[in-house]
Amino acid sequence: MSKVAGFVVRSSKFRHVFGKSVKKEEHYENVQSNASAPDSNLLDCSSKYFAVPWRGGGGPFVVWPLSKPGRLPQDVPLCTGHNGAVMDLHFSPFCDELVASGSDDTTTRIWKIPVGGLTEDMEEPQATLTGHHKKVILVRWNPVADSVLSTVSFDNTIKIWDAEKAAERSCFSDFTDAIQSFEWNYNGSRYATYCKDKVVRIIDPRNNKVTNQSTGHQGTKGARFSWLGDRPMFCTIGFSKQSERQIFFWDERDTSKSLSEVQIDIASGTLLPFFDSDTSLLYLAGKGDTNIRYFEIEDADPFQYYLAQFLGKDPQRGVGYVPKRGLDVLNCEITRFLRLSQTHIEPVSFSVPRKGDQFQSDIYPDTFAGRPSLKCEDWFKGANAAPMMMSMNPADGGTFRAVVKGSSQGVDMAAGAVPAG
């Protein structure tokens, strides 16, 4: 082992992962997004589209096919139903064409985009969710249950919805300060928040109770939360009193103190975490930064191993993560991000250097299949299930793995394979 820039480094099959910007002609140009939403990633991706707030009155946003790089038209088709700026966007994990938007107008809207993308402006959403009293700052679909959507508002409440029926099913309001970060856990049975009061809360949404909480970073700037896959660990990313950017690692079974604390650098931009549970790689992309750092996460001390960083040219205003189903596995691509800058969106591909063009099974375990494991009503009644997984080997033809269901919050992964369909 050795140390690089203060981080521990050791041998790993992901040690030589490298990030590379695609060719200029594969960028998305003429991007007119002037949105400012400090708690949002601003940009979101499905395996077929990206969505980003757009310039103009009434809170428009663009949904554009990933397969159409180049210059976006001046009269690009827009989703235009909101009466205030769009603060956050999130694609359904189960439908590439379904996207939720949270707005300054206090509403959340659900949009069903035509297959292939918009050809004209869309004014009418599939559903409108009303009930918050201040702007909606975050929207997040449950990763396991169909049509379960969470909305986070500046009124310091979190609502859980049956999005298909546009019905509010629960509301949690026991917060003392603004909510800065929200994330569902691996099997969608709990969620976690990080608030301006510097407290991390883990919440059971069906009993509306805090199951655990801890005090995080001491700095006053915004912080983020990230679960670390199906392991009983999470990390928080925030600031010290001296404005140092930090990662704290925690055991969710005992949050009386952190497992490990890592000082990254001194900078003002909030770090956006993206955890890939297939490879156990954690990516950190700072707003206003030009780089994306990445670490390999393990269960034992020191819990993280710094690998490297991608260095770009333009500062990133937001970052979107492309689902694994959209990757080029025969060229050993393991992750792809879209970096939103002032005038364009730049795809960045992370790959493992390997010879040959055969499928590399050791770097491609089964991945999330993009199908729900539970019906909405079953989830609200207390059912839990592991995410549905699928093979990434093109020769398998998209084989889906059997779903494991159970009443406990921790559900083991399934081992058996079943044909798709």
Side-chain angles (χ1 to χ4, degrees), residues 39 68 84 136 180 202 212 284 287 307 378:
D39 301 312
K68 294 183 178 180
V136 177
Q180 298 175 328
I202 298 174
N212 216 334
L284 298 180
K287 284 191 175 183
L307 296 179
D378 291 338

Side-chain angles (χ1 to χ4, degrees), residues 75-80 111 118-124:
D75 58 347
V76 60
L78 301 170
C79 293
T80 61
W111 309 81
L118 293 171
T119 57
E120 59 184 4
D121 287 356
M122 177 178 283
E123 298 180 3
E124 293 297 325

Side-chain angles (χ1 to χ4, degrees), residues 43 109 208 217 273 276 292 331 352 361 374 404:
L43 179 70
R109 306 196 181 204
N208 247 13
H217 306 267
D276 178 3
I292 300 175
N331 282 316
V352 177
S361 60
L374 290 172
V404 171

